[in-house]
Amino acid sequence: MSTQGIITGIVANLVLIQVDGPVAQNEICNIDLEGTKLKAEIIKINGDIAYVQVFENTAGLKVGHTASFTGHMLEVTLGPGMLSKRYDGLQNDLELIEGLFLERGSSSPALDENAVWHFHPLAKIGDTVGAADWLGEVKEGWINHKIMVPFKFPGQGTIVSTAAEGEYKARDTMAVIKDSKGVTHNVSMIMTWPVKITPKFYADKPRPSKIFETGVRVIDTLNPMVEGGTGFIPGPFGCGKTVLQHALSKYADADLIIIVACGERANEVVEIFTEFPELDDPRTGRKLMERTIIICNTSNMPVASREASVYTGMTIAEYYRSMGLKVLLLADSTSRWAQALREMSNRMEELPGPDAFPMDLPAIIANFYSRAGYVHLNNGQSGSITFIGTVSPAGGNLKEPVTESTKKAARAFYALSQARADSKRYPAIDPIESYSKYLEYSEVIENMNTTIEAGWIDKVTALKDMLLRGKEVKDQINILGDDGVPVHYHDIFWKSELIDAIILQQDAFDKVDCSTPLSRQKYMAKLVLDICQAKFTFENFEEVTHYFKKMINNLKQMNYQEFDSSSFKKFRQKHDDVLSERKSAS
Amino acid sequence: MKTQAFQKIYTKIDNITKATCTITAEGIGNLEMAFVDNRPAQVVKIFGNKVTLQVFPGTENIATNSEVVFLGRGPTLKVGDELRGRFFDAYGNVIDGGPDIEGEEVEINGPTINPVRRKQPSELIATGIAGIDLNNTLVTGQKIPFFADPDQPFNQVMADVALRAKADLIVLGGMGMSNDDYLYYKAIFDNAGALDRIICFMNTTENPPVERLLIPDMSLTAAEHFAIKHNMKVLVLLTDMTLYADALSIVSNRMDQIPSKDSMPGSLYSDLAKIYEKAAQFPDGGSITIIAVTTLSGGDITHAIPDNTGYITEGQLYLRRDTDIGKVIIDPFRSLSRLKQLVIGKKTRADHPQVMNAAVRLYSDAANAKTKQENGFDLTEYDKRSLNFAKEYSEHLLAIDVNIDIDTMLQIAWQLFAKYFSKDEVGIKQEIVDQFWPQDEQWLDGQAELTKQNS
Ligand SMILES: Nc1ncnc2c1ncn2[C@@H]1O[C@H](COP(=O)(O)OP(=O)(O)OP(=O)(O)O)[C@@H](O)[C@H]1O
Ligand SMILES: [Mg+2]
């Protein structure tokens, strides 16, 4: 008989329950509100009183109502059939919840247990296996979905039997494994795992080294992401965090994309729901939706499950990483998750930290980011989770607890600037403030030498230097006036404007410009850098302005054309003509 | 208020504060409504048999032996077709002297729409105001506030937008509205012959501030009835959400909650989101669009109220007085409609997105030139052209008194480009420039259009 409890207090979604037996921190219980089941999680225990946060609205709940405890933490169900699903923060399949509204207490299974999968065994009788080792595989869409030894399997065991190749339902026994104590376990295609515990069933986690192509020029060319890397995008409202994440989810070079819409707008997820089933994925020739899983806990959905949603997303990512896949996990916005923590901590009357956030916020954030990464699996294969979160700083001020804590945890920083967004220079990533620590990794530099070209890092540095010098001379021009500085200051300024216009700015809504493959980025970067290093002859600053505007306009047109198409070449030709007008013979 | 058989009645109050009172009672539900000495109240906290109620109008003169009656349910609104054309207070009681509403009683603050059942908004709302239609196009199912200082004419603009928007129904939720403004709205809707398309829930400055907290939910419950049952396009106007948030902070302060930024409750984001996210495009054609007003103090948008709002809504509209033309304009820099890309260039002419961006970019060149000028530097020939462009752009397109259709707006923009700039300078895709750059005779037509508008 599981532990039972009786409600003794209610403030908003914090509920006090007197329990009649043992309970554990983070254990899940179900509260019975006159027949409606409200799920809740224990967040504090004091004597025989459990403090729980309820994942639903508590209107009408009364002292005296009962609760029954489940004996486990918040868990997700893992198995084939998650691709293309749209879950809420607690992994209910939203499609299966009937009606226009999410009525209180509604829930639905995460996986279709009756679906039939074609199983192909990979392990043999007698093999020694441990958690996350591969037993076989089924085709889930275009992914070879590995059926693994459950993450909860204790230690090492021996395979006693395995299912032969053929069609099976997800709950059928695919293998029988005897553990070291001699207990046999029937293993199906489905397992469960508590979301707040990190499953560490890989051999090791080396420093990431491979460039992760996103198609966004200002990221790939200037501050690259790596496979298994972590990054974050802070920015005031309306500066382009969500548009940028959507671009990443469409064009990034990953096997699987998991999008966690955490406490943001419903219409933004509806956009994904509407577009992704229509958009082609050039990598697979299928629709984008077929490599996507969405965890959708929008701002009007319960606050407590908002907190759970990021963990749900991460755990599903870890599951697929164990299959040797390259997973991209995106969360928009991690600030909403932090706010959910704050709301609860305030209600519990805990001693508040800065801006009333809980004291342990930095540790919680760091722990979460550390679950991403590139790993070597036990069988020698590799898999990765690249994680990029957005941060919504209060008042747009980056000196606030969530931004500061995240800055310590994430290795790439893509700061969106209000000034750039105001002047419609999208994506508004500030080229001077932003950084990617990965540019300092010798492994990454080495990888760029082979995958992009030898000495690539020097080009990146040159572009960055030019941008910085452009900013410096701009400050001078602002103080001294156009006439008050030497003409070559204008030359420098406009060269940086050229980098800005041609490499940094990218139109997310144009069908060509929206994504730029690395090979094309390399081409444009070299073209732009050549101009930056060229010497021009100008009599006065108005000539400089006029000339560069013309050049920028022309190169911009190139960005809008299919790479190497005839119109692209036409603009390239025009560019060469423009260049020869002014370029001094060197 | 008549008491009924199932209602629980108590006559002993244990504890009274400025806004709350606590009694000993059993079997009471969280968030249940009650009357304390005939004043509406709601359960906000229960510990054992101690039940704390928030008394909406305040607790002045409430005695330890005042009568407390529990209603056994949360706040409700009677919904039905008769709501049309009627005026109510924050509790949904009729205030226009007409008959009571006979309808189905539904709890306000209903459940969340399942996101997978929503449809993507795609229907443009034309307002005739180019600062909105051209630069910040609105779409049904959107939620967007005006960010404005209290002295700006946001009520006029909102009334214009509401009346031109071709909505099937307009729900006005007034929070802390001055009685004068209330009468203004009433008159303007009346003059437009639109009273039968209006439903109004009103909390004026004469009513207790905490009552405001019910206004958005009341308004949206009514809106949902018409949008879902009758597939109507409903426009909900909420003004002033800053005063709503102020009421939240009063309550949380009285409940001894730890305030976060700007003494607002830590839950401000979720509280506001719950309201704004009721905006939706429903699968059967109905929609709820929310246009709100968030007043700023001294233009400060980093304050917690506008800041949290901006993170929730789908853009925002700023009003600004342009001293060069002596008119109020929709500021093109900070204003934004996030849903515009769903309709511009799709429901409107293909050149719309590029024209819009180019004009704003050129306008920002003018802003730079202006700074230069103010700092005493010489202007270049380009600077001068951009300044002249900006003035005309502001006059013919940004000013809030503009009322033209979108094709005309685009036409005017092209005229201004051609008048002040070369094709190279506008930075628009070549094929679009080739197609739309004004030829001689169009040029003359356009000039005529501009002159007509000026006179
Ligand atoms: N790359 C881009 N190209 C063109 N327009 C863009 C781009 N990025 C952003 N925008 C414009 O900015 C608007 C706001 O962007 P977005 O919704 O991504 O902001 P956000 O930072 O996520 O804001 P919030 O914090 O409020 O969610 C978009 O609706 C779009 O109009
Ligand atoms: Mg966003």
Side-chain angles (χ1 to χ4, degrees):
Chain A
M1 181 70 186
S2 67
T3 300
Q4 303 293 313
I6 291 174
I7 306 226
T8 62
I10 309 156
V11 204
N13 75 328
L14 174 67
V15 169
L16 278 59
I17 303 177
Q18 183 167 29
V19 295
D20 69 0
V23 286
Q25 176 75 340
N26 296 107
E27 184 172 342
I28 296 294
C29 70
N30 287 303
I31 294 172
D32 184 357
L33 194 167
E34 285 147 26
T36 304
K37 292 265 182 286
L38 309 183
K39 215 173 188 179
E41 176 185 12
I42 299 184
I43 50 175
K44 178 171 138 181
I45 302 166
N46 190 355
D48 63 351
I49 300 291
Y51 292 67
V52 306
Q53 60 171 342
V54 185
F55 294 117
E56 308 250 16
N57 179 350
T58 56
L61 192 63
K62 295 175 182 172
V63 163
H65 280 154
T66 57
S68 114
F69 289 79
T70 60
H72 60 73
M73 295 168 64
L74 182 66
E75 293 188 331
V76 285
T77 306
L78 303 164
M82 290 193 283
L83 279 187
S84 322
K85 280 270 199 288
R86 301 172 293 181
Y87 292 124
D88 74 1
L90 304 178
Q91 211 200 5
N92 291 300
D93 183 347
L94 288 166
E95 189 57 47
L96 297 181
I97 295 180
E98 276 177 36
L100 186 55
F101 291 99
L102 295 171
E103 299 293 344
R104 195 155 60 153
S106 45
S107 67
S108 60
L111 291 175
D112 177 3
E113 297 183 1
N114 288 318
V116 173
W117 302 96
H118 186 88
F119 177 79
H120 173 82
L122 293 173
K124 308 180 303 297
I125 294 173
D127 283 359
T128 305
V129 288
D133 284 347
W134 300 351
L135 297 170
E137 62 188 13
V138 302
K139 264 266 182 266
E140 182 188 11
W142 62 287
I143 283 178
N144 287 323
H145 186 117
K146 302 293 185 283
I147 304 304
M148 293 176 274
V149 177
F151 290 176
K152 286 180 180 169
F153 188 86
Q156 296 286 307
T158 316
I159 299 184
V160 179
S161 71
T162 92
E165 171 148 13
E167 315 286 315
Y168 298 90
K169 285 189 181 176
R171 284 280 180 207
D172 290 346
T173 298
M174 307 316 297
V176 177
I177 308 174
K178 188 188 279 180
D179 70 21
S180 53
K181 295 209 179 81
V183 183
T184 57
H185 301 252
N186 287 349
V187 174
S188 74
M189 297 186 199
I190 295 180
M191 61 164 110
T192 58
W193 186 258
V195 296
K196 287 195 181 159
I197 305 233
T198 312
K200 287 190 186 153
F201 304 114
Y202 43 79
D204 67 336
K205 200 188 231 183
R207 298 217 306 179
S209 62
K210 295 187 196 156
I211 290 292
F212 181 83
E213 189 174 337
T214 68
V216 177
R217 293 192 289 266
V218 45
I219 294 181
D220 294 354
T221 301
L222 286 180
N223 289 307
M225 183 38 66
V226 293
E227 245 188 88
T230 51
F232 79 116
I233 310 169
F237 63 78
C239 285
K241 297 181 291 296
T242 306
V243 172
L244 185 57
Q245 278 213 338
H246 283 194
L248 296 175
S249 67
K250 286 179 195 163
Y251 310 115
D253 180 23
D255 297 323
L256 182 72
I257 314 278
I258 300 174
I259 302 172
V260 185
C262 171
E264 291 285 310
R265 304 171 186 83
N267 277 338
E268 290 171 348
V269 235
V270 173
E271 189 176 322
I272 300 180
F273 295 164
T274 316
E275 289 182 359
F276 277 35
E278 305 296 325
L279 290 175
D280 293 317
D281 177 7
R283 295 163 35 88
T284 60
R286 292 166 176 249
K287 296 297 175 196
L288 266 187
M289 198 64 202
E290 296 179 54
R291 68 154 187 179
T292 311
I293 298 171
I294 298 165
I295 317 290
C296 163
N297 212 99
T298 57
S299 57
N300 53 341
M301 290 163 80
V303 176
S305 41
R306 190 196 290 169
E307 193 232 322
S309 66
V310 290
Y311 291 99
T312 298
M314 183 57 93
T315 312
I316 295 176
E318 286 164 326
Y319 174 71
Y320 279 99
R321 175 173 67 184
S322 310
M323 299 176 199
L325 295 174
K326 195 160 100 168
V327 183
L328 172 63
L329 176 66
L330 300 166
D332 185 11
S333 152
T334 61
S335 292
R336 306 301 163 222
W337 154 45
Q339 283 177 339
L341 295 172
R342 173 168 73 184
E343 282 184 33
M344 204 29 79
S345 135
N346 291 0
R347 234 165 254 143
M348 303 254 294
E349 294 172 5
E350 288 172 358
L351 201 60
D355 287 0
F357 281 106
M359 283 298 216
D360 55 350
L361 182 72
I364 294 172
I365 291 178
N367 173 52
F368 186 79
Y369 273 79
S370 74
R371 288 172 71 166
Y374 183 91
V375 300
H376 291 135
L377 305 176
N378 291 324
N379 61 8
Q381 309 257 11
S382 61
S384 65
I385 298 173
T386 307
F387 175 59
I388 301 178
T390 67
V391 169
S392 317
N397 175 7
L398 298 189
K399 295 223 168 334
E400 57 89 45
V402 184
T403 314
E404 290 191 325
S405 307
T406 310
K407 211 165 176 179
K408 287 179 199 135
R411 308 296 284 169
F413 174 63
Y414 303 114
L416 300 187
S417 125
Q418 182 80 60
R420 287 185 67 86
D422 284 349
S423 52
K424 314 272 179 229
R425 293 180 179 224
Y426 293 120
I429 296 178
D430 185 319
I432 314 266
E433 294 291 309
S434 303
Y435 59 78
S436 164
K437 288 264 182 223
Y438 299 116
L439 278 179
E440 297 161 13
Y441 286 29
S442 57
E443 306 85 321
V444 174
I445 296 174
E446 196 42 51
N447 179 264
M448 295 193 300
N449 282 340
T450 51
T451 59
I452 308 177
E453 68 173 27
W456 177 251
I457 183 76
D458 300 330
K459 298 210 161 56
V460 176
T461 315
L463 287 169
K464 289 186 156 199
D465 284 350
M466 200 67 211
L467 284 165
L468 191 57
R469 286 175 63 204
K471 184 177 178 314
E472 287 162 3
V473 298
K474 178 70 190 166
D475 290 344
Q476 290 291 307
I477 297 174
N478 282 343
I479 298 167
L480 302 170
D482 290 327
D483 280 329
V485 297
V487 172
H488 80 267
Y489 274 40
H490 289 272
D491 179 72
I492 294 173
F493 168 68
W494 278 100
K495 282 173 173 166
S496 74
E497 280 289 287
L498 178 88
I499 300 176
D500 192 329
I502 305 307
I503 294 181
L504 306 190
Q505 293 173 45
Q506 190 171 0
D507 185 347
F509 303 117
D510 182 83
K511 64 180 191 312
V512 175
D513 201 30
C514 58
S515 166
T516 312
L518 255 180
S519 51
R520 180 172 180 163
Q521 291 188 39
K522 183 168 102 180
Y523 176 96
M524 288 310 281
K526 282 166 87 170
L527 190 66
V528 165
L529 207 54
D530 275 349
I531 303 166
C532 289
Q533 283 158 355
K535 288 201 169 46
F536 299 97
T537 341
F538 295 111
E539 295 294 323
N540 56 47
F541 78 87
E542 298 207 34
E543 270 180 26
V544 185
T545 309
H546 183 75
Y547 181 69
F548 272 97
K549 276 194 177 162
K550 190 160 74 175
M551 183 142 66
I552 288 173
N553 185 44
N554 191 59
L555 288 176
K556 252 201 147 112
Q557 306 292 343
M558 267 171 92
N559 275 344
Y560 285 127
Q561 313 304 320
E562 293 285 353
F563 192 42
D564 253 354
S565 63
S566 61
S567 53
F568 182 88
K569 288 184 182 133
K570 193 185 80 195
F571 286 112
R572 171 69 213 242
Q573 182 56 49
K574 198 167 155 203
H575 170 70
D576 291 340
D577 296 345
V578 172
L579 208 55
S580 55
E581 269 174 38
R582 288 272 173 184
K583 196 168 167 184
S584 329
S586 49
Chain B
M1 174 219 39
K2 291 183 280 295
T3 52
Q4 288 164 21
F6 58 84
Q7 292 173 333
K8 296 196 180 83
I9 304 179
Y10 297 83
T11 50
K12 184 176 174 302
I13 301 180
D14 304 335
N15 182 315
I16 304 175
T17 70
K18 252 182 172 171
T20 63
C21 60
T22 303
I23 65 160
T24 308
E26 267 163 24
I28 304 300
N30 190 28
L31 303 181
E32 189 170 314
M33 288 297 280
F35 284 97
V36 177
D37 194 23
N38 279 325
R39 296 177 216 186
Q42 188 173 21
V43 174
V44 286
K45 200 195 281 187
I46 308 175
F47 275 115
N49 58 4
K50 297 288 177 215
V51 177
T52 304
L53 292 142
Q54 162 181 308
V55 183
F56 287 102
T59 54
E60 288 87 352
N61 206 29
I62 284 189
T64 48
N65 63 351
S66 294
E67 190 180 63
V68 180
V69 183
F70 287 94
L71 303 189
R73 54 155 179 81
T76 56
L77 173 71
K78 285 210 173 118
V79 295
D81 297 355
E82 306 102 278
L83 287 173
R84 298 181 64 147
R86 304 296 306 275
F87 290 73
F88 304 90
D89 68 7
Y91 308 106
N93 300 318
V94 172
I95 53 169
D96 54 10
D100 283 349
I101 302 292
E102 298 299 323
E104 183 197 350
E105 188 161 10
V106 299
E107 300 227 350
I108 65 169
N109 183 17
T112 304
I113 313 164
N114 185 340
V116 306
R117 300 281 179 271
R118 286 176 184 252
K119 280 278 162 297
Q120 187 166 41
S122 62
E123 199 174 329
L124 185 149
I125 300 179
T127 69
I129 301 171
I132 296 178
D133 296 2
L134 180 65
N135 290 344
N136 301 290
T137 327
L138 302 183
V139 187
T140 58
Q142 185 167 10
K143 45 194 179 287
I144 192 165
F146 281 97
F147 280 176
D149 278 325
D151 60 342
Q152 285 173 328
F154 51 83
N155 281 324
Q156 282 92 308
V157 183
M158 205 149 88
D160 277 347
V161 169
L163 287 172
R164 292 184 202 159
K166 300 205 178 77
D168 298 323
L169 185 74
I170 300 167
V171 182
L172 173 64
M175 288 156 280
M177 192 182 272
S178 75
N179 203 47
D180 297 356
D181 285 341
Y182 171 40
L183 296 176
Y184 167 82
Y185 269 107
K186 236 176 154 170
I188 217 164
F189 289 149
D190 199 2
N191 289 342
L195 269 187
D196 61 330
R197 304 197 275 136
I198 307 280
I199 301 173
C200 178
F201 294 89
M202 193 47 65
N203 159 276
T204 67
T205 44
E206 293 167 13
N207 307 123
V210 178
E211 287 182 7
R212 275 172 217 159
L213 296 178
L214 295 171
I215 294 275
D217 282 343
M218 285 287 169
S219 308
L220 290 159
T221 305
E224 275 182 351
H225 171 80
F226 289 94
I228 294 170
K229 288 256 160 63
H230 299 290
N231 298 334
M232 282 186 176
K233 276 191 277 172
V234 185
L235 179 61
V236 178
L237 310 177
L238 296 175
T239 171
D240 170 354
M241 288 299 286
T242 297
L243 298 178
Y244 171 85
D246 285 344
L248 280 178
S249 78
I250 295 175
V251 170
S252 81
N253 178 282
R254 287 176 181 165
M255 303 267 299
D256 293 327
Q257 283 167 11
I258 306 162
S260 62
K261 202 166 165 276
D262 298 316
S263 43
M264 284 292 144
S267 59
L268 180 64
Y269 176 83
S270 305
D271 295 336
L272 293 175
K274 234 178 57 220
I275 295 171
Y276 284 116
E277 282 293 334
K278 290 263 173 191
Q281 179 70 53
F282 294 103
D284 294 332
S287 63
I288 295 179
T289 308
I290 300 180
I291 300 185
V293 168
T294 300
T295 49
L296 307 176
S297 118
D300 179 14
I301 60 142
T302 62
H303 184 280
I305 300 172
D307 186 49
N308 279 285
T309 304
Y311 277 119
I312 293 164
T313 53
E314 284 145 352
Q316 62 281 332
L317 299 166
Y318 284 84
L319 299 180
R320 176 162 68 82
R321 171 157 288 279
D322 184 342
T323 47
D324 288 337
I325 62 162
K327 283 183 181 175
V328 174
I329 62 167
I330 309 268
D331 188 333
F333 292 147
R334 305 296 303 277
S335 301
L336 175 70
S337 160
R338 317 253 185 134
L339 300 191
K340 64 173 184 276
Q341 44 265 9
L342 298 176
V343 291
I344 60 173
K346 296 176 183 151
K347 299 282 161 100
T348 64
R349 242 167 58 182
D351 55 327
H352 187 160
Q354 294 247 328
V355 169
M356 165 196 89
N357 281 328
V360 175
R361 217 177 310 116
L362 295 167
Y363 189 71
S364 93
D365 285 349
N368 292 339
K370 208 158 175 201
T371 317
K372 251 181 176 176
Q373 196 173 29
E374 281 158 5
N375 294 342
F377 294 125
D378 291 343
L379 295 182
T380 65
E381 181 266 338
Y382 178 83
D383 290 335
K384 288 178 193 146
R385 282 189 282 134
S386 65
L387 281 173
N388 287 330
F389 162 80
K391 214 166 149 190
E392 284 211 54
Y393 175 59
S394 191
E395 174 79 39
H396 298 300
L397 290 171
L398 298 180
I400 55 169
D401 59 1
V402 170
N403 185 10
I404 47 180
D405 65 35
I406 296 181
D407 280 0
T408 313
M409 296 171 192
L410 291 169
Q411 221 46 45
I412 293 176
W414 282 111
Q415 297 299 332
L416 296 177
F417 292 162
K419 184 166 172 188
Y420 293 107
F421 302 104
S422 68
K423 292 183 184 178
D424 274 355
E425 285 168 331
V426 295
I428 294 181
K429 252 192 198 172
Q430 195 64 47
E431 62 231 54
I432 293 186
V433 173
D434 291 344
Q435 194 184 343
F436 292 99
W437 195 262
Q439 308 300 315
D440 282 348
E441 61 275 34
Q442 288 169 355
W443 167 255
L444 289 175
D445 286 355
Q447 287 303 302
E449 186 69 49
L450 288 181
T451 332
K452 202 169 71 206
Q453 224 200 309
N454 274 340
S455 56

